[in-house]
Amino acid sequence: MTEGNKGVVLITGASAGMGKATTELLLEKGYVVYSAARRIERMLDLEAKGAKLIALDVTDEQSMVNGINRIMEEQGRIDVLFNNAGYGSYGAVEDVTLEEARRQFEVNLFGLSRLTQLVLPHMRRQKSGKIINNSSTGGRIYTPLGAWYHATKHALEGYSDCLRLEVAPFGIDVVVIQPGSIKSEWSNIMLEYVQKTSGKGAYANMTNAYIKMASNMINQASSPYVIGKIVMKAIEAKRPKTRYAAGQFAKPMLFFRRVLTDRMFDRLLYLMLRQSV
C-alpha cells in the first residue's frame, strides 16, 4: 500500500466503539473501508462518510462468504482484515451455562477464524496483507468472574502467534491489539451479564464488588479513537509490531502481570476488589 493507493480494509463489529472509530479514521486517510456488522442500520452515518456497508454475522457462514465475495467482486483485493467483533460475557464459572460459554467462543474465536480462512487465499494470491486481531489486555491477564471471556482472548493470543508463523512466507502480517479500558458498548453488556448471571447466590458479594471496581475503571476509560489510531499505525507500518497495547490501564496491568507471580497477582486483584466495597 502506498500513499496513492491506500488499500482495501474490512472491519467487523463496525457499528460501534473501536470498529466505528477505526472506520472513521481510515476513511479520513483515504482507505476503501468495508464496515461490517449485524445491524447495518447502525452504520448509516459511516455510509454517509464513505464506508461501504456489509451485513455480516461472524456466526453465520453464508453472510461471511457473501461479504468476502462482494469485496473481491468490487475491489479485486483485500489488504487488511480487522477482526474486531466480539463481546464479553461475565459470571462465575459455576453459574455460566456451557451454552453461553460456547457462544462466547463462537463469536470471539471461531467466527473470527472462519472469516480469516476466507480472506487468506486472496491475500496469498496478492502476496500481501494484514490480519489484525482485536484481543484485550484480558488475553494476558485475568480477573474473577471473567473466565470464559479471558479464555477466548488467551486462545486468540496463541492462535494469532501460530497464524503469524504460517502466513509470514506469503507476505502476510498478523498483529494483535490489546486494548485496556475503552469507552464502548462492551462495558455495559459485560456489566449486564455479570449482574444477571452471578448477582445473586454464592458469588453475589464478589459480583457486587467487581461491578463497583469495573464501573470505576469504565469511568476512566479511554476513547475508542485511541485504538483506531493504533490500528492505523499497524496498517501503515512496513514491519508492524506483533502486539500493540493501548488505552487506560493497559500497560500497567500488563506490566504487573509480567513481573508478579500468580499468587502476587491474585492478591493485587483481591486488594482492588476490597477497595471497591
Side-chain angles (χ1 to χ4, degrees):
M1 293 178 286
T2 66
E3 192 64 30
N5 178 23
K6 284 293 188 178
V8 180
V9 183
L10 170 60
I11 300 176
T12 64
S15 62
M18 293 176 281
K20 177 166 277 193
T22 304
T23 297
E24 292 176 349
L25 291 172
L26 292 177
L27 287 172
E28 290 173 2
K29 294 282 283 186
Y31 288 87
V32 176
V33 182
Y34 283 80
S35 299
R38 291 177 300 150
R39 296 166 291 185
I40 205 165
E41 70 278 1
R42 299 190 60 184
M43 300 187 291
L44 297 179
D45 57 330
L46 294 178
E47 185 177 41
K49 295 177 180 179
K52 300 177 185 298
L53 307 187
I54 295 180
L56 186 148
D57 183 340
V58 295
T59 66
D60 183 333
E61 168 80 9
Q62 196 57 54
S63 77
M64 290 189 281
V65 171
N66 292 344
I68 299 305
N69 287 344
R70 176 187 160 192
I71 294 173
M72 295 308 299
E73 289 170 4
E74 294 179 358
Q75 306 298 331
R77 64 183 296 113
I78 179 166
D79 298 293
V80 180
L81 169 60
F82 179 29
N83 281 312
N84 172 66
Y87 78 108
S89 180
Y90 275 51
V93 170
E94 188 175 346
D95 295 333
V96 177
T97 67
L98 289 184
E99 179 183 13
E100 174 57 31
R102 292 187 184 99
R103 180 172 180 268
Q104 183 95 150
F105 267 92
E106 195 64 42
V107 173
N108 290 0
L109 185 66
F110 299 132
L112 170 155
S113 183
R114 180 56 184 143
L115 191 59
T116 299
Q117 288 179 329
L118 293 171
V119 164
L120 281 174
H122 304 296
M123 289 186 172
R124 283 194 294 102
R125 189 159 43 248
Q126 66 199 32
K127 298 181 180 179
S128 66
K130 288 181 179 174
I131 305 292
I132 302 178
N133 292 331
N134 204 8
S135 180
S136 167
T137 52
R140 286 299 178 94
I141 69 166
Y142 53 88
T143 63
L145 307 173
W148 289 110
Y149 173 74
H150 287 288
T152 65
K153 293 303 185 180
H154 279 253
L156 178 57
E157 297 267 343
Y159 165 92
S160 298
D161 287 333
C162 295
L163 180 64
R164 184 178 68 251
L165 292 172
E166 294 172 6
V167 301
F170 302 103
I172 302 169
D173 291 309
V174 177
V175 176
V176 171
I177 306 297
Q178 297 171 317
S181 185
I182 303 294
K183 290 185 173 71
S184 71
E185 289 184 343
W186 184 96
S187 301
N188 292 331
I189 293 171
M190 179 273 289
L191 291 176
E192 179 183 335
Y193 268 101
V194 73
Q195 179 64 53
K196 180 175 66 176
T197 305
S198 296
K200 297 179 181 179
Y203 302 93
N205 290 339
M206 179 178 286
T207 298
N208 292 331
Y210 181 84
I211 288 173
K212 290 179 182 178
M213 181 185 75
S215 297
N216 182 54
M217 296 177 73
I218 291 167
N219 290 336
Q220 302 176 62
S222 299
S223 163
Y225 290 94
V226 168
I227 300 304
K229 291 176 182 177
I230 288 293
V231 172
M232 187 160 60
K233 182 177 180 179
I235 291 173
E236 299 194 330
K238 289 185 178 180
R239 186 175 175 80
K241 296 178 182 179
T242 58
R243 283 173 172 80
Y244 292 85
Q248 189 72 290
F249 309 116
K251 291 182 179 180
M253 292 304 290
L254 290 173
F255 171 77
F256 285 130
R257 184 66 191 104
R258 187 168 62 251
V259 300
L260 298 179
T261 66
D262 291 347
R263 295 295 186 188
M264 292 170 67
F265 194 76
D266 289 356
R267 286 197 291 272
L268 174 63
L269 292 173
Y270 280 127
L271 177 62
M272 292 170 65
L273 285 173
R274 284 199 297 271
Q275 289 178 340
S276 300
V277 175

